[in-house]
Amino acid sequence: MQHIAKHIITVCALLFICTGLQARDFLITTYGAEKGGGTLCTKAIQKAIDECHQAGGGRVIVPKGTFVTGAIVLKSNVTLHLEKGAKLLGSTDPSHYVLSKGRPGVYVTSQLIFAANATNIGISGWGTIDGQGGVFTDASCNAQGITRPMLIRFDTCKGVTISDVTMRNSGVWMQHYYACENMTIRGIKVYNHCNNCNDGMDINGCRNVTVIGVTVDSDDDGICLKNFTSQASSNITVTNCKVSSHCNALKIGTETFGDFNNITFSHCKVKPSKQKHVQNGRANGISAVSIESVDGSRITNVTVSDITVKGTETPIFVRLGNRGNTYGQKVTTPKRGSINGVVIKDITISGAGHTGCSISGLPGQEVENIQLSNVKIVNAGGQGQLDAPTDDKAKAYPEGTMWGVLPASGFFVKNSKSVDFSGVKVKTKKADARPAIYRVNVK
């Protein structure tokens, strides 16, 4: 009997310890946040975050209802959780946003939700975060990322999870993750069509990232990998996503100072945006897949597979240029970028424009080892024979439409080595005199 009693006491003690270690919930209304949208709740939400962090971590709960806030700062071991029916609105007053200090290579920005050097942070739930970014319209706000607030900016964080929430109407980019590690973005819905430079998601110089089951509809680029940093963007997987963009749906670029390796885009669907008003790009989209190095990035081991595309003017765009932006990073000599090792396979494209796709490098700086297999394209066609563009536009902004209509109905390939086509089929809706593949200076 004593043995049983001791066992019961031990179990109860363990249960007490485990209960004490469980993450706690901190309800923002407990700290003075008021529903209805008429009261600024920044201080109340920030106090809930601070106390959650000080207590060792947990969830800060935004309950059903509408709450207005200015800039808030997430801290280690804190998840901001929006219950179903909860709506967090960004303030429309620019003074309610805090400018980050910035550092070499990073825009000085304002943002609604910020975190820096934090560990084990997240945003979760089935509510909505609406930045109300369309109100930031004065001329001084037109420079990207200066005063128009992003919805999310996480800088040098580890262990980031963003799940299920809906995000709408950022002043500029919706999400900017800079130099973060071990990050999962899962099941979120993004709609960003209220202002200039309305990207859906920007992942910048990050490592060990999974983006899965995400839906993005954006005026500017959809899911975009960038690198202002000196560390490589590596081990990034984007899968089972639905992306609509007036610009480029799945993209590496344009900012490409640091390297990229082990990048996968798979099992995604690209289709035209529901929003027909266009601020950047084209109603049908510019590209479905863009892979660009123009500032010195070495891009290696990229796989794009099982992508279904409806629309876009120039669906596939691979570009090695030499713009040479250093983003404030200290370099003794200009870097020479490269693209070497890209597999593009099992791609079905319908409703493309008449421009054509392109794979291009520069003389003496060729794109290398590109494999395309089982790629089927149906585009508008209706073009006559065209001469190849002679200007390599080494310093130009990279875009699939940068040379206008190309001399190939399928792929214009220039300044390249070892570009292999297998099972690539091109059909045009209207008769087209251009060859399916047009090569210039290809080895």
Side-chain angles (χ1 to χ4, degrees):
M1 184 68 93
Q2 286 181 338
H3 175 73
I4 295 174
K6 283 184 178 180
H7 181 70
I8 292 172
I9 292 170
T10 301
V11 170
C12 290
L14 287 172
L15 286 171
F16 176 79
I17 291 169
C18 290
T19 302
L21 290 175
Q22 285 181 349
R24 294 171 54 192
D25 286 348
F26 295 75
L27 187 64
I28 64 170
T29 50
T30 302
Y31 295 87
E34 296 183 11
K35 297 181 182 181
T39 303
L40 188 67
C41 300
T42 312
K43 291 183 179 180
I45 297 171
Q46 190 61 58
K47 187 174 181 181
I49 291 170
D50 293 345
E51 291 202 7
C52 181
H53 167 69
Q54 291 163 8
R59 301 189 307 174
V60 171
I61 305 296
V62 182
K64 182 179 180 180
T66 299
F67 301 86
V68 176
T69 182
I72 55 176
V73 180
L74 275 186
K75 297 183 178 180
S76 292
N77 303 315
V78 176
T79 294
L80 182 67
H81 181 82
L82 288 86
E83 293 184 339
K84 186 176 181 180
K87 181 177 287 188
L88 198 61
L89 296 180
S91 169
T92 58
D93 185 341
S95 70
H96 293 159
Y97 295 89
V98 179
L99 290 175
S100 60
K101 293 180 179 179
R103 56 181 174 176
V106 183
Y107 292 116
V108 176
T109 63
S110 62
Q111 51 277 310
L112 184 65
I113 304 172
F114 181 70
N117 301 304
T119 302
N120 187 27
I121 61 172
I123 301 172
S124 66
W126 298 272
T128 298
I129 308 172
D130 190 329
Q132 302 194 100
V135 303
F136 300 96
T137 56
D138 63 280
S140 65
C141 288
N142 287 335
Q144 176 177 303
I146 301 301
T147 59
R148 284 179 288 138
M150 297 180 186
L151 202 78
I152 296 172
R153 164 74 183 277
F154 288 174
D155 189 327
T156 322
C157 296
K158 295 181 179 180
V160 176
T161 302
I162 312 293
S163 61
D164 301 322
V165 295
T166 296
M167 303 179 188
R168 299 180 63 88
N169 304 321
S170 178
V172 60
W173 298 353
M174 181 66 76
Q175 308 164 77
H176 185 192
Y177 304 101
Y178 178 89
C180 293
E181 296 183 27
N182 303 328
M183 188 165 68
T184 299
I185 303 173
R186 179 182 63 246
I188 67 171
K189 296 178 176 62
V190 174
Y191 187 84
N192 208 19
H193 284 277
C194 68
N195 220 316
N196 193 32
C197 299
N198 263 174
D199 288 14
M201 180 188 306
D202 294 276
I203 299 171
N204 184 353
C206 297
R207 295 181 286 190
N208 305 327
V209 178
T210 299
V211 180
I212 183 168
V214 165
T215 300
V216 174
D217 191 333
S218 60
D219 186 72
D220 214 312
D221 297 334
I223 299 176
C224 187
L225 312 186
K226 301 178 180 291
N227 202 343
F228 305 162
T229 79
S230 57
Q231 73 177 24
S233 294
S234 61
N235 304 327
I236 300 174
T237 297
V238 178
T239 188
N240 289 299
C241 295
K242 299 176 182 178
V243 186
S244 302
S245 167
H246 288 158
C247 291
N248 308 286
L250 303 170
K251 182 179 181 182
I252 298 175
T254 299
E255 293 85 348
T256 47
F257 176 81
D259 296 340
F260 297 82
N261 57 64
N262 300 332
I263 310 296
T264 299
F265 297 101
S266 67
H267 310 296
C268 293
K269 295 182 179 180
V270 176
K271 62 180 182 179
S273 171
K274 295 179 181 179
Q275 174 60 255
K276 299 310 176 186
H277 174 71
V278 178
Q279 298 185 83
N280 301 98
R282 301 182 178 214
N284 209 32
I286 295 175
S287 81
V289 177
S290 283
I291 301 170
E292 307 165 0
S293 171
V294 294
D295 301 315
S297 289
R298 292 172 297 181
I299 298 178
T300 58
N301 194 21
V302 175
T303 299
V304 182
S305 65
D306 192 14
I307 310 294
T308 301
V309 181
K310 294 182 180 180
T312 72
E313 180 60 32
T314 173
I316 298 173
F317 178 65
V318 179
R319 171 62 175 166
L320 177 58
N322 191 24
R323 183 176 62 175
N325 196 332
T326 62
Y327 303 96
Q329 304 288 343
K330 295 181 179 179
V331 292
T332 54
T333 57
K335 296 172 63 179
R336 282 174 59 87
S338 62
I339 299 177
N340 189 333
V342 176
V343 174
I344 300 173
K345 63 180 181 179
D346 303 328
I347 313 294
T348 302
I349 300 165
S350 61
H354 57 254
T355 297
C357 303
S358 64
I359 301 170
S360 67
L362 301 173
Q365 193 177 354
E366 293 88 0
V367 174
E368 299 184 55
N369 298 317
I370 313 295
Q371 299 178 21
L372 298 99
S373 62
N374 192 27
V375 177
K376 298 178 175 62
I377 302 175
V378 178
N379 64 28
Q383 305 299 303
Q385 290 185 345
L386 296 168
D387 293 330
T390 57
D391 185 356
D392 288 309
K393 295 189 174 183
K395 302 289 184 183
Y397 183 89
E399 198 80 273
T401 54
M402 62 193 295
W403 289 289
V405 180
L406 295 166
S409 61
F411 288 89
F412 173 58
V413 185
K414 185 177 182 182
N415 298 324
S416 304
K417 294 179 182 178
S418 300
V419 178
D420 297 326
F421 293 90
S422 174
V424 174
K425 299 179 181 179
V426 181
K427 294 183 179 180
T428 59
K429 290 184 177 180
K430 294 183 179 180
D432 198 298
R434 298 173 296 172
I437 301 173
Y438 191 115
R439 297 178 175 88
V440 176
N441 190 25
V442 174
K443 302 174 184 178

